[in-house]
Amino acid sequence: MDLEHLSEKLTEASVSGFRDRTKRRFSLPVAARSHSDSRRSSIISSCSDTSSYTGSSSDEEEGSPREKEQVTASGFTDFCVKNLRQAEFGRREIDIAEQEMPGIVALRERAGKDLPLKGAKIVGCTHINAQTAVLLETLAALGAHVRWAACNIFSTQNEVAAALAEKGFSVFAWRGETEEDFWWCIDKTVNTENWQPNLILDDGGDATHLMIKKYPAMFKMVKGVCEESVTGVHRLYQLSKAGKLNVPAMNVNDSVTKTMFDNFYACRESIIDSLKRSTDVMFSGKQVLVAGYGEVGKGCCQALKGLGCIVYVTEIDPICALQACMDGVRTVKLGEVIRHVDIVITATGNKNVVTREHMDKMKNGCIVCNMGHSNTEIDVNSLRTPELTWEKVRSQVDHIIWPDGKRIILLAEGRLVNLSLSSVPSINVSITSCTQALALIELFNAPLNRYKSDVYLLPKKMDEYVASLHLPMFDAHLSELSDDQAKYLGLSKAGPFKPNYYRY
């Protein structure tokens, strides 16, 4: 028998044997098959639900946390979280995050004895996850009393919120809040008996906005605002220009440590993580459009190019556009490529960057998501019309189906995708948290009239200090200037080492 016939015979025998084994393995008695068919039918029925994920998870069927009476083991009740029973699991997550946050832990240890925030009453409105929990506990260790809410309805880690509540923190947040819940939670951090906040730590400007609109007298008594997002900083500058900012504010977003390490390096990793977790997409060969080539856009583009994507960028700024060109990224108008791209990512901080007109033109299966803080970049409301069908795929992943059968994949309903569907590296949050903590310490302890009712940047020396706190994690060793070298450069040997106008 020649090799060709032998090969055919072996293949036929192998297939036949596989069929027999499969038949034996999966043959069920009639009763079992009936039960299996019934179970499969119920699964198919549940999967065909076309409602959006928002507000329809199994946890949410238990009812709103606002309707529950919750008490910790110590009798503490001033909080509102999803499930207090998850506290132990949340504590483990916080412990893991703390291991990757050497800077904020070092700041806690160095400044803890001095209690530089003793007497501070801080209203916080940020993402509530394991990393920000480390910041909350650090602020408390430095003497502050804090009340906290979430700045995003999808980014809260319920188990972490439970762990914070169990430890006695006034936290009002859960994953999947409604818009009404969102503002109720922020209001609870501000309006309570025997409480006059004197500092605000904001991420997006929502706590600041609520206090100005609803509690203007309380806002005037605040010593300062610390803001970490593009959207929030933009709001602060608008308030300052209009003469409505009655207190000093620190722009943390544009500090070097925040802009470079959180916006660029963290987004470079988290964009891939969030897209992979939510869609299982393979990037190689995909055409991707990134709207905006700031630090967030640069980080996204670098990661996507590294995985073999064909990347396009939209920009309004000629300097950023030229940077994109020099980096080998083609700069286009959205309408030029919208029919062909596989993934659209917004990272501008603007509104209506991707409109219904754009989405009408997208190809079947196009993935649409947002990496900018604001949830206004994608015009999601224009998709809530009778002719379009929303179909839940998985947590915070929706199919939007057109009458002709075309569908796009919308992630996190247009909200911040990396913190809604994945997470960010803990060390990057540590860098930002250090900057925020130092800004709060400065605002709280500053002599009267040092700061006017305006928006300020942190001193360069403070940025360098934050960076130095994180170098030991990498076993990095700084060189030192000699007296002669310092004199030649006109610098202090202890820094700052760059002028304020230096661009890193």
Side-chain angles (χ1 to χ4, degrees), residues 38-91:
S38 173
R39 184 168 175 271
R40 184 169 63 249
S41 176
S42 68
I43 292 171
I44 292 171
S45 175
S46 67
C47 289
S48 64
D49 180 13
T50 57
S51 62
S52 167
Y53 170 71
T54 307
S56 59
S57 72
S58 58
D59 279 345
E60 286 160 0
E61 292 173 2
E62 299 175 3
S64 170
R66 292 166 60 178
E67 300 169 357
K68 301 177 183 177
E69 291 185 9
Q70 301 183 69
V71 185
T72 67
S74 62
F76 181 65
T77 60
D78 190 17
F79 65 93
C80 188
V81 299
K82 190 68 180 177
N83 187 348
L84 198 59
R85 290 172 295 179
Q86 296 178 332
E88 186 178 349
F89 180 55
R91 176 51 52 188

Short mmCIF file of all heavy atoms in Angstrom, two decimals, residues 38-91:
data_model
loop_
_atom_site.label_atom_id
_atom_site.label_comp_id
_atom_site.label_asym_id
_atom_site.label_seq_id
_atom_site.Cartn_x
_atom_site.Cartn_y
_atom_site.Cartn_z
N SER A 38 -34.75 22.16 27.23
CA SER A 38 -35.47 23.21 27.93
C SER A 38 -34.51 24.27 28.45
O SER A 38 -34.74 25.47 28.36
CB SER A 38 -36.26 22.60 29.10
OG SER A 38 -36.82 23.62 29.89
N ARG A 39 -33.37 23.79 29.02
CA ARG A 39 -32.37 24.72 29.58
C ARG A 39 -31.76 25.57 28.48
O ARG A 39 -31.59 26.78 28.61
CB ARG A 39 -31.29 23.91 30.30
CG ARG A 39 -30.25 24.77 31.01
CD ARG A 39 -29.41 23.91 31.93
NE ARG A 39 -28.34 24.68 32.51
CZ ARG A 39 -27.15 24.81 31.96
NH1 ARG A 39 -26.89 24.23 30.80
NH2 ARG A 39 -26.20 25.52 32.54
N ARG A 40 -31.45 24.89 27.33
CA ARG A 40 -30.86 25.62 26.21
C ARG A 40 -31.83 26.68 25.69
O ARG A 40 -31.46 27.79 25.37
CB ARG A 40 -30.47 24.65 25.09
CG ARG A 40 -29.76 25.35 23.93
CD ARG A 40 -29.16 24.33 22.97
NE ARG A 40 -30.16 23.51 22.33
CZ ARG A 40 -30.33 22.22 22.56
NH1 ARG A 40 -29.57 21.59 23.43
NH2 ARG A 40 -31.27 21.53 21.93
N SER A 41 -33.12 26.32 25.65
CA SER A 41 -34.14 27.26 25.19
C SER A 41 -34.20 28.49 26.08
O SER A 41 -34.32 29.61 25.61
CB SER A 41 -35.50 26.57 25.17
OG SER A 41 -36.52 27.48 24.82
N SER A 42 -34.10 28.26 27.42
CA SER A 42 -34.15 29.39 28.33
C SER A 42 -32.93 30.27 28.20
O SER A 42 -33.00 31.49 28.33
CB SER A 42 -34.28 28.91 29.79
OG SER A 42 -33.09 28.27 30.20
N ILE A 43 -31.77 29.65 27.92
CA ILE A 43 -30.54 30.43 27.72
C ILE A 43 -30.66 31.31 26.49
O ILE A 43 -30.33 32.49 26.50
CB ILE A 43 -29.31 29.50 27.60
CG1 ILE A 43 -29.03 28.82 28.95
CG2 ILE A 43 -28.09 30.27 27.14
CD1 ILE A 43 -27.99 27.74 28.88
N ILE A 44 -31.16 30.71 25.39
CA ILE A 44 -31.33 31.46 24.15
C ILE A 44 -32.29 32.61 24.37
O ILE A 44 -32.09 33.72 23.91
CB ILE A 44 -31.82 30.53 23.01
CG1 ILE A 44 -30.72 29.54 22.64
CG2 ILE A 44 -32.24 31.34 21.79
CD1 ILE A 44 -31.18 28.45 21.69
N SER A 45 -33.36 32.33 25.11
CA SER A 45 -34.35 33.37 25.39
C SER A 45 -33.74 34.53 26.15
O SER A 45 -33.96 35.68 25.84
CB SER A 45 -35.51 32.78 26.19
OG SER A 45 -36.42 33.78 26.57
N SER A 46 -32.91 34.20 27.19
CA SER A 46 -32.30 35.27 27.98
C SER A 46 -31.29 36.04 27.18
O SER A 46 -31.11 37.24 27.38
CB SER A 46 -31.64 34.69 29.24
OG SER A 46 -30.54 33.89 28.89
N CYS A 47 -30.60 35.38 26.25
CA CYS A 47 -29.58 36.06 25.45
C CYS A 47 -30.19 36.96 24.39
O CYS A 47 -29.51 37.80 23.84
CB CYS A 47 -28.64 35.04 24.79
SG CYS A 47 -27.55 34.23 25.95
N SER A 48 -31.46 36.75 24.09
CA SER A 48 -32.07 37.53 23.03
C SER A 48 -32.64 38.85 23.54
O SER A 48 -33.22 39.62 22.80
CB SER A 48 -33.20 36.74 22.36
OG SER A 48 -34.24 36.49 23.29
N ASP A 49 -32.47 39.13 24.84
CA ASP A 49 -32.93 40.39 25.41
C ASP A 49 -32.25 41.55 24.70
O ASP A 49 -31.04 41.59 24.61
CB ASP A 49 -32.58 40.41 26.91
CG ASP A 49 -33.02 41.69 27.58
OD1 ASP A 49 -33.79 42.43 26.95
OD2 ASP A 49 -32.59 41.93 28.72
N THR A 50 -33.02 42.49 24.20
CA THR A 50 -32.43 43.58 23.42
C THR A 50 -32.27 44.85 24.22
O THR A 50 -31.93 45.88 23.67
CB THR A 50 -33.31 43.87 22.19
OG1 THR A 50 -34.63 44.18 22.63
CG2 THR A 50 -33.34 42.69 21.24
N SER A 51 -32.50 44.81 25.52
CA SER A 51 -32.33 46.02 26.31
C SER A 51 -30.85 46.31 26.52
O SER A 51 -30.02 45.42 26.45
CB SER A 51 -33.01 45.86 27.68
OG SER A 51 -32.41 44.80 28.39
N SER A 52 -30.54 47.58 26.78
CA SER A 52 -29.16 47.97 27.04
C SER A 52 -28.70 47.37 28.35
O SER A 52 -29.51 47.06 29.22
CB SER A 52 -29.04 49.50 27.10
OG SER A 52 -27.81 49.88 27.63
N TYR A 53 -27.39 47.25 28.51
CA TYR A 53 -26.87 46.69 29.76
C TYR A 53 -27.20 47.59 30.94
O TYR A 53 -27.44 47.14 32.04
CB TYR A 53 -25.36 46.51 29.66
CG TYR A 53 -24.74 46.15 30.99
CD1 TYR A 53 -24.94 44.90 31.57
CD2 TYR A 53 -23.98 47.08 31.70
CE1 TYR A 53 -24.40 44.58 32.79
CE2 TYR A 53 -23.44 46.76 32.93
CZ TYR A 53 -23.65 45.51 33.46
OH TYR A 53 -23.11 45.20 34.67
N THR A 54 -27.19 48.91 30.70
CA THR A 54 -27.35 49.85 31.79
C THR A 54 -28.61 49.58 32.58
O THR A 54 -29.70 49.52 32.05
CB THR A 54 -27.41 51.29 31.24
OG1 THR A 54 -26.28 51.50 30.42
CG2 THR A 54 -27.42 52.29 32.36
N GLY A 55 -28.42 49.40 33.87
CA GLY A 55 -29.58 49.21 34.75
C GLY A 55 -30.24 47.86 34.64
O GLY A 55 -31.36 47.68 35.09
N SER A 56 -29.53 46.86 34.07
CA SER A 56 -30.22 45.57 33.91
C SER A 56 -29.33 44.38 34.24
O SER A 56 -29.46 43.33 33.68
CB SER A 56 -30.72 45.43 32.47
OG SER A 56 -29.65 45.53 31.56
N SER A 57 -28.39 44.54 35.14
CA SER A 57 -27.56 43.42 35.56
C SER A 57 -28.29 42.64 36.65
O SER A 57 -29.24 43.11 37.26
CB SER A 57 -26.21 43.92 36.09
OG SER A 57 -26.39 44.54 37.33
N SER A 58 -27.79 41.44 36.92
CA SER A 58 -28.44 40.62 37.94
C SER A 58 -28.36 41.27 39.31
O SER A 58 -29.27 41.16 40.12
CB SER A 58 -27.78 39.23 37.97
OG SER A 58 -26.40 39.35 38.22
N ASP A 59 -27.24 41.96 39.58
CA ASP A 59 -27.10 42.66 40.85
C ASP A 59 -28.18 43.72 41.01
O ASP A 59 -28.72 43.93 42.09
CB ASP A 59 -25.72 43.32 40.97
CG ASP A 59 -24.65 42.33 41.37
OD1 ASP A 59 -25.03 41.25 41.84
OD2 ASP A 59 -23.47 42.64 41.22
N GLU A 60 -28.47 44.43 39.91
CA GLU A 60 -29.37 45.55 39.99
C GLU A 60 -30.81 45.12 40.24
O GLU A 60 -31.65 45.91 40.61
CB GLU A 60 -29.26 46.39 38.71
CG GLU A 60 -27.96 47.19 38.71
CD GLU A 60 -27.57 47.62 37.31
OE1 GLU A 60 -28.29 47.32 36.36
OE2 GLU A 60 -26.52 48.26 37.19
N GLU A 61 -31.09 43.83 40.00
CA GLU A 61 -32.43 43.33 40.25
C GLU A 61 -32.74 43.32 41.75
O GLU A 61 -33.89 43.23 42.15
CB GLU A 61 -32.58 41.93 39.65
CG GLU A 61 -32.56 41.93 38.12
CD GLU A 61 -32.53 40.53 37.55
OE1 GLU A 61 -32.57 39.58 38.35
OE2 GLU A 61 -32.45 40.38 36.33
N GLU A 62 -31.70 43.40 42.57
CA GLU A 62 -31.90 43.41 44.02
C GLU A 62 -32.51 44.73 44.48
O GLU A 62 -32.94 44.85 45.61
CB GLU A 62 -30.56 43.20 44.73
CG GLU A 62 -29.90 41.87 44.40
CD GLU A 62 -28.53 41.76 45.03
OE1 GLU A 62 -28.13 42.70 45.75
OE2 GLU A 62 -27.85 40.75 44.80
N GLY A 63 -32.55 45.73 43.61
CA GLY A 63 -33.08 47.03 43.99
C GLY A 63 -31.97 48.03 44.19
O GLY A 63 -30.80 47.70 44.30
N SER A 64 -32.35 49.29 44.24
CA SER A 64 -31.37 50.36 44.38
C SER A 64 -30.77 50.34 45.78
O SER A 64 -31.47 50.12 46.77
CB SER A 64 -32.05 51.71 44.13
OG SER A 64 -31.20 52.77 44.48
N PRO A 65 -29.46 50.60 45.89
CA PRO A 65 -28.84 50.69 47.21
C PRO A 65 -29.46 51.79 48.08
O PRO A 65 -29.41 51.71 49.31
CB PRO A 65 -27.38 51.02 46.88
CG PRO A 65 -27.17 50.47 45.51
CD PRO A 65 -28.47 50.66 44.80
N ARG A 66 -30.08 52.77 47.44
CA ARG A 66 -30.71 53.86 48.19
C ARG A 66 -31.91 53.37 49.00
O ARG A 66 -32.33 54.02 49.96
CB ARG A 66 -31.14 54.97 47.24
CG ARG A 66 -29.99 55.70 46.59
CD ARG A 66 -30.43 56.55 45.41
NE ARG A 66 -31.40 57.57 45.77
CZ ARG A 66 -31.90 58.47 44.91
NH1 ARG A 66 -31.52 58.44 43.64
NH2 ARG A 66 -32.78 59.36 45.31
N GLU A 67 -32.44 52.23 48.63
CA GLU A 67 -33.61 51.68 49.32
C GLU A 67 -33.24 50.74 50.47
O GLU A 67 -34.11 50.24 51.17
CB GLU A 67 -34.49 50.92 48.31
CG GLU A 67 -35.00 51.79 47.17
CD GLU A 67 -35.64 50.97 46.07
OE1 GLU A 67 -35.62 49.71 46.18
OE2 GLU A 67 -36.13 51.56 45.09
N LYS A 68 -31.96 50.49 50.64
CA LYS A 68 -31.52 49.53 51.65
C LYS A 68 -31.04 50.23 52.91
O LYS A 68 -30.53 51.34 52.87
CB LYS A 68 -30.36 48.68 51.11
CG LYS A 68 -30.69 47.89 49.85
CD LYS A 68 -29.44 47.16 49.38
CE LYS A 68 -29.68 46.41 48.08
NZ LYS A 68 -28.44 45.77 47.59
N GLU A 69 -31.19 49.53 54.03
CA GLU A 69 -30.56 49.97 55.28
C GLU A 69 -29.27 49.17 55.45
O GLU A 69 -29.31 47.94 55.53
CB GLU A 69 -31.49 49.74 56.46
CG GLU A 69 -32.72 50.64 56.47
CD GLU A 69 -33.56 50.46 57.72
OE1 GLU A 69 -33.08 49.76 58.64
OE2 GLU A 69 -34.67 51.02 57.78
N GLN A 70 -28.15 49.87 55.48
CA GLN A 70 -26.86 49.19 55.56
C GLN A 70 -26.10 49.66 56.80
O GLN A 70 -26.03 50.86 57.07
CB GLN A 70 -26.04 49.48 54.30
CG GLN A 70 -26.72 49.05 53.00
CD GLN A 70 -25.86 49.29 51.78
OE1 GLN A 70 -24.84 48.64 51.59
NE2 GLN A 70 -26.27 50.24 50.96
N VAL A 71 -25.54 48.71 57.50
CA VAL A 71 -24.80 49.00 58.73
C VAL A 71 -23.55 48.15 58.75
O VAL A 71 -23.59 46.94 58.47
CB VAL A 71 -25.64 48.69 60.00
CG1 VAL A 71 -24.89 49.12 61.25
CG2 VAL A 71 -27.00 49.37 59.92
N THR A 72 -22.41 48.77 59.06
CA THR A 72 -21.15 48.02 59.15
C THR A 72 -21.07 47.30 60.49
O THR A 72 -21.91 47.49 61.39
CB THR A 72 -19.94 48.95 59.00
OG1 THR A 72 -19.89 49.81 60.15
CG2 THR A 72 -20.04 49.78 57.74
N ALA A 73 -20.05 46.48 60.64
CA ALA A 73 -19.86 45.73 61.89
C ALA A 73 -19.68 46.66 63.09
O ALA A 73 -20.03 46.31 64.22
CB ALA A 73 -18.65 44.81 61.75
N SER A 74 -19.17 47.87 62.83
CA SER A 74 -18.95 48.82 63.93
C SER A 74 -20.15 49.74 64.15
O SER A 74 -20.11 50.63 65.00
CB SER A 74 -17.72 49.67 63.63
OG SER A 74 -17.91 50.43 62.44
N GLY A 75 -21.22 49.55 63.36
CA GLY A 75 -22.42 50.36 63.52
C GLY A 75 -22.46 51.61 62.66
O GLY A 75 -23.36 52.44 62.79
N PHE A 76 -21.52 51.76 61.74
CA PHE A 76 -21.43 52.94 60.87
C PHE A 76 -22.50 52.85 59.78
O PHE A 76 -22.70 51.79 59.17
CB PHE A 76 -20.03 52.99 60.25
CG PHE A 76 -19.79 54.17 59.35
CD1 PHE A 76 -19.79 55.46 59.86
CD2 PHE A 76 -19.54 54.00 58.00
CE1 PHE A 76 -19.55 56.55 59.04
CE2 PHE A 76 -19.29 55.07 57.17
CZ PHE A 76 -19.30 56.35 57.69
N THR A 77 -23.20 53.96 59.52
CA THR A 77 -24.30 53.94 58.53
C THR A 77 -24.23 55.06 57.49
O THR A 77 -25.05 55.10 56.59
CB THR A 77 -25.66 54.06 59.24
OG1 THR A 77 -25.71 55.30 59.98
CG2 THR A 77 -25.91 52.89 60.19
N ASP A 78 -23.27 55.95 57.61
CA ASP A 78 -23.21 57.13 56.73
C ASP A 78 -22.52 56.79 55.41
O ASP A 78 -21.41 57.25 55.12
CB ASP A 78 -22.48 58.27 57.45
CG ASP A 78 -22.59 59.58 56.68
OD1 ASP A 78 -23.47 59.69 55.80
OD2 ASP A 78 -21.78 60.49 56.94
N PHE A 79 -23.18 55.97 54.61
CA PHE A 79 -22.63 55.55 53.32
C PHE A 79 -23.75 54.93 52.51
O PHE A 79 -24.84 54.66 53.03
CB PHE A 79 -21.49 54.53 53.51
CG PHE A 79 -21.95 53.23 54.10
CD1 PHE A 79 -22.32 52.16 53.29
CD2 PHE A 79 -22.02 53.06 55.48
CE1 PHE A 79 -22.75 50.96 53.83
CE2 PHE A 79 -22.46 51.87 56.03
CZ PHE A 79 -22.82 50.81 55.21
N CYS A 80 -23.48 54.69 51.22
CA CYS A 80 -24.43 53.97 50.37
C CYS A 80 -23.66 53.25 49.27
O CYS A 80 -23.11 53.90 48.37
CB CYS A 80 -25.45 54.94 49.76
SG CYS A 80 -26.80 54.10 48.89
N VAL A 81 -23.58 51.93 49.39
CA VAL A 81 -22.84 51.11 48.43
C VAL A 81 -23.74 49.96 47.97
O VAL A 81 -24.83 49.76 48.49
CB VAL A 81 -21.52 50.58 49.02
CG1 VAL A 81 -20.61 51.73 49.43
CG2 VAL A 81 -21.80 49.66 50.22
N LYS A 82 -23.25 49.18 47.03
CA LYS A 82 -24.06 48.12 46.44
C LYS A 82 -24.25 46.93 47.37
O LYS A 82 -25.35 46.48 47.61
CB LYS A 82 -23.40 47.65 45.14
CG LYS A 82 -24.27 46.71 44.30
CD LYS A 82 -25.47 47.45 43.74
CE LYS A 82 -26.36 46.55 42.92
NZ LYS A 82 -27.55 47.24 42.44
N ASN A 83 -23.13 46.42 47.88
CA ASN A 83 -23.21 45.18 48.66
C ASN A 83 -22.08 45.16 49.68
O ASN A 83 -20.92 44.92 49.35
CB ASN A 83 -23.11 43.96 47.73
CG ASN A 83 -23.37 42.66 48.46
OD1 ASN A 83 -23.41 42.61 49.69
ND2 ASN A 83 -23.52 41.58 47.70
N LEU A 84 -22.43 45.42 50.91
CA LEU A 84 -21.43 45.51 51.98
C LEU A 84 -20.72 44.18 52.22
O LEU A 84 -19.59 44.14 52.72
CB LEU A 84 -22.11 45.99 53.26
CG LEU A 84 -21.22 46.55 54.37
CD1 LEU A 84 -20.42 47.74 53.87
CD2 LEU A 84 -22.06 46.95 55.57
N ARG A 85 -21.35 43.08 51.81
CA ARG A 85 -20.75 41.76 52.02
C ARG A 85 -19.49 41.55 51.18
O ARG A 85 -18.74 40.61 51.42
CB ARG A 85 -21.78 40.68 51.71
CG ARG A 85 -22.91 40.58 52.73
CD ARG A 85 -23.98 39.63 52.28
NE ARG A 85 -24.65 40.09 51.06
CZ ARG A 85 -25.62 39.43 50.44
NH1 ARG A 85 -26.01 38.26 50.91
NH2 ARG A 85 -26.18 39.92 49.36
N GLN A 86 -19.27 42.39 50.19
CA GLN A 86 -18.10 42.26 49.34
C GLN A 86 -16.86 42.96 49.90
O GLN A 86 -15.81 43.00 49.27
CB GLN A 86 -18.39 42.85 47.95
CG GLN A 86 -19.48 42.12 47.18
CD GLN A 86 -19.77 42.76 45.84
OE1 GLN A 86 -19.59 43.96 45.66
NE2 GLN A 86 -20.19 41.96 44.89
N ALA A 87 -16.97 43.49 51.11
CA ALA A 87 -15.91 44.32 51.69
C ALA A 87 -14.57 43.58 51.79
O ALA A 87 -13.51 44.14 51.50
CB ALA A 87 -16.33 44.84 53.06
N GLU A 88 -14.60 42.32 52.21
CA GLU A 88 -13.36 41.57 52.38
C GLU A 88 -12.62 41.41 51.05
O GLU A 88 -11.40 41.56 50.97
CB GLU A 88 -13.65 40.20 52.99
CG GLU A 88 -12.39 39.40 53.33
CD GLU A 88 -12.71 38.06 53.97
OE1 GLU A 88 -13.88 37.83 54.35
OE2 GLU A 88 -11.77 37.24 54.11
N PHE A 89 -13.39 41.11 50.01
CA PHE A 89 -12.79 40.98 48.68
C PHE A 89 -12.21 42.31 48.22
O PHE A 89 -11.12 42.38 47.65
CB PHE A 89 -13.86 40.49 47.69
CG PHE A 89 -13.36 40.32 46.29
CD1 PHE A 89 -12.27 39.53 46.00
CD2 PHE A 89 -14.00 40.97 45.24
CE1 PHE A 89 -11.81 39.37 44.70
CE2 PHE A 89 -13.55 40.83 43.94
CZ PHE A 89 -12.45 40.02 43.67
N GLY A 90 -12.94 43.41 48.49
CA GLY A 90 -12.45 44.74 48.12
C GLY A 90 -11.17 45.10 48.84
O GLY A 90 -10.27 45.72 48.26
N ARG A 91 -11.06 44.67 50.11
CA ARG A 91 -9.83 44.95 50.87
C ARG A 91 -8.63 44.27 50.24
O ARG A 91 -7.54 44.83 50.19
CB ARG A 91 -10.04 44.48 52.32
CG ARG A 91 -8.84 44.61 53.24
CD ARG A 91 -8.21 45.98 53.23
NE ARG A 91 -9.17 47.05 53.45
CZ ARG A 91 -8.87 48.34 53.33
NH1 ARG A 91 -7.67 48.71 52.95
NH2 ARG A 91 -9.80 49.26 53.53
#
